Amino acid sequence: MLEKTLVDSIKQNHSLTQAQQLALGKFIDKGFPTSKWEEWKYASLKHLNEFNWLWSPETLSVNFPKPDWKHSAIIQTLNGNTHSEGALPQGIALLSVSEFMAQNPTFESVWNARNPILDQNSLYDLNEALATDYAVLWVKKGVKIAEPLLHHYFVLGQQDTAVQSKIFIYLEEDSEITWFEQQRSESSHAILSNYVQDIWVSKNAHITLIKDQDLGQNITHVDHTFIFQQESSLVDAFTFSINAGYIRNNLHFYIDGPQVVSNLNGLYIPGEGQLMDTHSVVDHRMPHSESNELYKGVLMGNATGVFNGKIFVRPDAQKTNAFQSCKNVLASDRATMNTKPQLEIWADDVKCSHGTTTGQLSDEALFYMQSRGISKATAQTLLLLAFVQQVIDKLGHDEIRAELSDKIVNKIQASLGLTI
Amino acid sequence: MLSVKNLHARIGEKEILKGINLEVRAGEVHAIMGPNGSGKSTLASVLAGRTDYEVVEGSVDFLGKDLLELAPEERAAEGLFLAFQYPVEIPGVSTTNFMKSAINEIRTYRGQDPMDAVQFLKMFKEKMAYVNIDQSLLSRALNEGFSGGEKKRNEIFQMAVLEPKLAILDETDSGLDIDALRIVAEGVNKLKTPQNATILVTHYQRLLDYIIPDFVHVLYKGKIVKSGNKDLALELEERGYDWIISALD
């Protein structure tokens, strides 16, 4: 089924380059990940093999509500096609990857040597084979934009649709942006939303990356975000997984220079019928760098959560500091959480720590609160909101923080039938 | 106010309270003393509604209501307060927010309008001055990283805010140095009125130097085996529990 619909679709719609054909071959060989693949043990996508996918989604336009605080340009990716609405700030350009490479001829060899970890990732191959629009957001040297750039990532379909989106953010030296990505959907059919985002952070550059994942129940969203950091660069990443039938976040950090700081913050709050899986990779390839991971999860209904946090400290990466924390609350006795920290350390002069916990709300705390007149439902809400607040509070932008905080509070209260 | 009759309670298979009888009237201070493991803290927990314990027999009437039928938060709303031996850390929730939720849920239970922010702040400030507690403590996450003394003082502050009809102080003296003990005891004394009552659960007589009880009860193996006035506490201080126990065993 899979092979036939794919081949038919390609014959009809477009010709593939040699690299794309190679990637397609790899995907057809492997198919969608199954629970037999170690990296997909709790997040099988085997059932996707059976769908009659539309592989070349239509380009449709949608009206996306603009947040009150956002006045200037918005970048949209609609079913894989990226464009900007309104004029982008001075020093920022949106162009195709071929134009970008033509203007940066020395970059291509650097790019080809980046060497990300792609084992057991057939969806990356699928994206490479079928993504037709590969846009680059180019932030020029020394350009610092205080106002967040808003990215509308949107998938929609009038039949079962597989969407491949691909975008590349290139920050030159000393530049600084905040990328606020709202991932949304509109479909009564199944959608595979397969998204590759590459980010190149040059020397002294700084990006704050905020992903607000609020998608429909029939959406399978696979997000590959690969970040390559050069000397003295800083990345503050936030992933808020709020809604979707299925979310898999492959968030990779490749630390390719000294004095790099990588901060990974994540919050996932799956409810009934939802699965949220985070696979993070922090690959310390160079010395004197620092990574901090803070992940929290609240699992409600019959939700499944997965956290796999890999930290590699390569032989050259002396004086590395790498910290990882993943804390989860099972707010329902039908919910499950699977955690696996995975540290591989080859350098000897490093500081690394990790800790994962999964538990329920403390009965002692609930009783203490009840003994003061607070109902059990309110006590649960107060404790859960306090638990998630630690991640939300790290967001620096007031409007974004308020918007996300409301949404997260509402989801938790609605899922647990709580009010406050 | 409180009438406990033939109260039996167990945890798992183990019966801990084996027929407690206790009458507390408005305006009274009762001290419940006894050796470790006699069931003192269990009695306090059962009255407050901790679900780990199962009441197997007996009744508890609190201001005309069957206390054992009420959820812990309903007991609080009816005017019962338990100061914990080990106040629980509530990460991420400040005392201020915690108390605001408590006050307003209790007011809703009683059919009163919730307090607005201005009223609440005014009341809060008065109570702070009353028990001499610092603002900085109240804006921190409740009990998180508090010293033993700070936790106990915060319990008394919560008691001042909630104005209970019956306060049960479970080993409030444990882990306190003499200065902290005095401050906590002063708070309790200040809050005492002819309309409310206090039950002090304590192992040592020390606290009773500062809060003078009207009645002293000795709990042993899940029963009140001796009752008297404050002189009984002094006698226990002098002679220990052995003379009572040996007369029984």
Side-chain angles (χ1 to χ4, degrees):
Chain A
M1 174 85 138
L2 197 63
E3 185 172 350
K4 187 180 179 307
T5 60
L6 267 171
V7 171
D8 286 353
S9 154
I10 289 149
K11 275 187 198 146
Q12 275 173 22
N13 291 296
H14 49 266
S15 55
L16 301 185
T17 65
Q18 205 176 351
Q20 284 177 314
Q21 281 175 23
L22 198 69
L24 186 67
K26 280 195 204 166
F27 176 72
I28 289 173
D29 278 353
K30 290 187 265 187
F32 285 105
T34 75
S35 56
K36 291 192 182 114
W37 302 18
E38 181 61 28
E39 299 296 331
W40 298 80
K41 199 171 169 182
Y42 305 104
S44 168
L45 287 174
K46 195 179 169 195
H47 61 282
L48 299 189
N49 285 313
E50 306 309 318
F51 281 77
N52 185 13
W53 293 109
L54 173 69
W55 293 103
S56 312
E58 305 141 76
T59 315
L60 301 157
S61 68
V62 282
N63 279 323
F64 205 107
K66 205 170 176 177
D68 297 339
W69 52 266
K70 184 72 200 175
H71 307 297
S72 57
I74 292 173
I75 296 148
Q76 292 200 328
T77 301
L78 299 177
N79 272 6
N81 290 288
T82 302
H83 65 280
S84 67
E85 287 203 345
L88 289 167
Q90 193 79 30
I92 294 186
L94 189 68
L95 65 173
S96 74
V97 77
S98 50
E99 289 170 313
F100 175 79
M101 290 299 180
Q103 291 180 45
N104 295 274
T106 54
F107 183 68
E108 194 155 2
S109 61
V110 179
W111 178 244
N112 290 335
R114 71 195 185 284
N115 193 21
I117 297 166
L118 292 171
D119 38 322
Q120 297 199 350
N121 198 343
S122 61
L123 283 128
Y124 190 87
D125 296 325
L126 177 66
N127 185 283
E128 190 166 352
L130 298 187
T132 49
D133 179 279
Y134 188 9
V136 182
L137 184 92
W138 182 4
V139 184
K140 304 279 168 65
K141 188 171 176 177
V143 169
K144 292 186 162 100
I145 309 288
E147 192 192 16
L149 294 166
L150 184 64
H151 181 220
H152 281 166
Y153 174 93
F154 204 87
V155 289
L156 71 171
Q158 277 143 14
Q159 54 176 302
D160 295 347
T161 305
V163 178
Q164 316 299 326
S165 307
K166 195 169 192 178
I167 192 162
F168 177 39
I169 300 173
Y170 179 77
L171 287 106
E172 282 192 37
E173 287 185 16
D174 303 309
S175 65
E176 185 175 332
I177 62 162
T178 294
W179 178 266
F180 178 38
E181 183 169 284
Q182 295 183 317
Q183 301 180 350
R184 302 288 186 271
S185 66
E186 196 176 283
S187 176
S188 51
H189 296 269
I191 291 191
L192 168 65
S193 158
N194 189 24
Y195 179 31
V196 172
Q197 183 176 41
D198 292 304
I199 302 177
W200 189 274
V201 192
S202 303
K203 186 177 170 185
N204 279 324
H206 175 196
I207 180 169
T208 301
L209 174 71
I210 306 162
K211 287 184 187 254
D212 160 8
Q213 302 179 313
D214 189 6
L215 298 138
Q217 195 64 23
N218 42 15
I219 309 300
T220 300
H221 179 70
V222 183
D223 189 310
H224 320 257
T225 300
F226 295 168
I227 300 171
F228 303 89
Q229 283 191 257
Q230 310 306 308
E231 181 180 348
S232 304
S233 64
L234 166 62
V235 176
D236 291 305
F238 295 87
T239 311
F240 295 96
S241 304
I242 299 166
N243 273 304
Y246 176 112
I247 295 180
R248 164 69 171 240
N249 284 309
N250 292 321
L251 177 61
H252 292 195
F253 280 73
Y254 299 99
I255 296 172
D256 289 323
Q259 316 295 344
V260 163
V261 177
S262 311
N263 296 316
L264 295 73
N265 303 286
L267 179 65
Y268 38 89
I269 50 170
E272 194 73 27
Q274 298 183 337
L275 182 152
M276 294 184 185
D277 178 339
T278 298
H279 267 62
S280 69
V281 170
V282 179
D283 191 353
H284 284 271
R285 296 162 161 180
M286 295 292 275
H288 296 283
S289 288
E290 178 188 324
S291 63
N292 301 291
E293 284 180 70
L294 172 68
Y295 277 88
K296 286 197 167 191
V298 176
L299 297 106
M300 301 166 288
N302 64 350
T304 303
V306 183
F307 176 80
N308 176 268
K310 291 188 182 69
I311 297 176
F312 301 105
V313 183
R314 307 289 175 189
D316 289 341
Q318 298 294 357
K319 305 279 181 195
T320 287
N321 288 333
F323 305 103
Q324 182 186 87
S325 163
C326 174
K327 293 181 178 165
N328 303 286
V329 175
L330 297 173
S332 151
D333 47 17
R334 294 180 297 128
T336 49
M337 181 68 212
N338 308 282
T339 59
K340 187 179 175 191
Q342 214 175 317
L343 279 69
E344 292 181 29
I345 300 166
W346 289 283
D348 49 19
D349 187 10
V350 302
K351 278 187 204 154
C352 292
S353 74
H354 68 93
T356 60
T357 57
T358 299
Q360 285 163 326
L361 291 177
S362 147
D363 285 340
E364 274 295 299
L366 289 173
F367 175 65
Y368 184 72
M369 296 172 88
Q370 284 178 274
S371 79
R372 300 298 181 252
I374 298 172
S375 68
K376 196 168 183 179
T378 307
Q380 286 172 326
T381 310
L382 283 173
L383 290 175
L384 287 175
L385 298 188
F387 176 78
V388 300
Q389 209 61 42
Q390 195 196 351
V391 182
I392 300 169
D393 282 348
K394 286 181 170 264
L395 276 172
H397 191 276
D398 292 345
E399 282 87 357
I400 295 177
R401 189 175 57 243
E403 192 177 316
L404 279 163
S405 183
D406 283 353
K407 192 183 283 223
I408 288 161
V409 169
N410 290 339
K411 161 86 189 262
I412 291 176
Q413 291 190 342
S415 299
L416 298 176
L418 303 174
T419 51
I420 190 160
Chain B
M1 176 182 280
L2 181 78
S3 176
V4 181
K5 290 200 172 101
N6 190 32
L7 183 65
H8 291 253
R10 67 180 182 197
I11 186 162
E13 289 301 302
K14 199 175 172 215
E15 190 169 25
I16 298 177
L17 301 183
K18 299 171 183 168
I20 302 274
N21 291 292
L22 182 67
E23 294 288 330
V24 179
R25 282 172 292 270
E28 293 178 350
V29 176
H30 289 246
I32 295 180
M33 304 184 69
N36 284 331
S38 57
K40 300 187 301 287
S41 284
T42 300
L43 177 60
S45 293
V46 169
L47 292 177
R50 193 188 285 269
T51 49
D52 303 349
Y53 299 95
E54 189 193 348
V55 174
V56 284
E57 211 184 322
S59 67
V60 180
D61 179 285
F62 179 58
L63 296 163
K65 293 224 162 125
D66 180 356
L67 192 71
L68 301 176
E69 286 297 306
L70 301 177
E73 59 268 31
E74 293 171 326
R75 299 181 194 202
E78 291 290 343
L80 187 83
F81 180 86
L82 172 66
F84 280 53
Q85 180 176 5
Y86 303 108
V88 184
E89 297 192 0
I90 309 291
V93 182
S94 68
T95 306
T96 308
N97 279 341
F98 179 70
M99 283 285 98
K100 201 181 275 177
S101 300
I103 281 280
N104 282 336
E105 288 220 17
I106 289 174
R107 290 179 69 90
T108 306
Y109 178 91
R110 292 176 183 167
Q112 299 165 319
D113 289 334
M115 259 190 195
D116 65 36
V118 178
Q119 289 171 310
F120 180 79
L121 227 66
K122 184 170 173 284
M123 179 275 293
F124 218 60
K125 284 221 164 102
E126 284 167 15
K127 303 292 182 181
M128 275 165 57
Y130 205 64
V131 297
N132 194 16
I133 196 163
D134 197 51
Q135 172 71 53
S136 65
L137 199 65
L138 303 182
S139 45
R140 280 165 53 191
L142 181 54
N143 292 325
E144 208 176 35
F146 285 22
S147 70
E150 285 171 334
K151 283 182 183 169
K152 296 296 169 78
R153 199 186 296 192
N154 192 285
E155 293 289 285
I156 302 306
F157 172 71
Q158 291 179 36
M159 181 174 146
V161 170
L162 297 175
E163 297 178 333
K165 299 189 182 93
L166 175 65
I168 304 167
L169 278 65
D170 187 11
E171 305 270 5
T172 292
D173 47 343
S174 71
L176 290 189
D177 62 33
I178 203 76
D179 292 330
L181 183 69
R182 192 178 294 133
I183 291 164
V184 166
E186 273 170 15
V188 174
N189 286 330
K190 269 188 183 175
L191 295 171
K192 197 171 159 330
T193 70
Q195 285 76 45
N196 63 26
T198 311
I199 297 175
L200 305 168
V201 174
T202 180
H203 185 74
Y204 298 107
Q205 192 270 341
R206 201 170 65 147
L207 180 65
L208 307 181
D209 288 340
Y210 300 96
I211 308 171
I212 311 296
D214 300 301
F215 299 94
V216 174
H217 310 277
V218 177
L219 194 61
Y220 179 63
K221 288 190 176 169
K223 280 185 179 172
I224 290 176
V225 293
K226 198 167 181 62
S227 296
N229 60 17
K230 66 178 179 0
D231 297 336
L232 176 58
L234 294 171
E235 199 173 354
L236 289 169
E237 174 77 356
E238 207 171 295
R239 299 174 64 187
Y241 290 106
D242 287 350
W243 61 282
I244 298 176
I245 293 166
S246 56
L248 289 166
D249 289 344

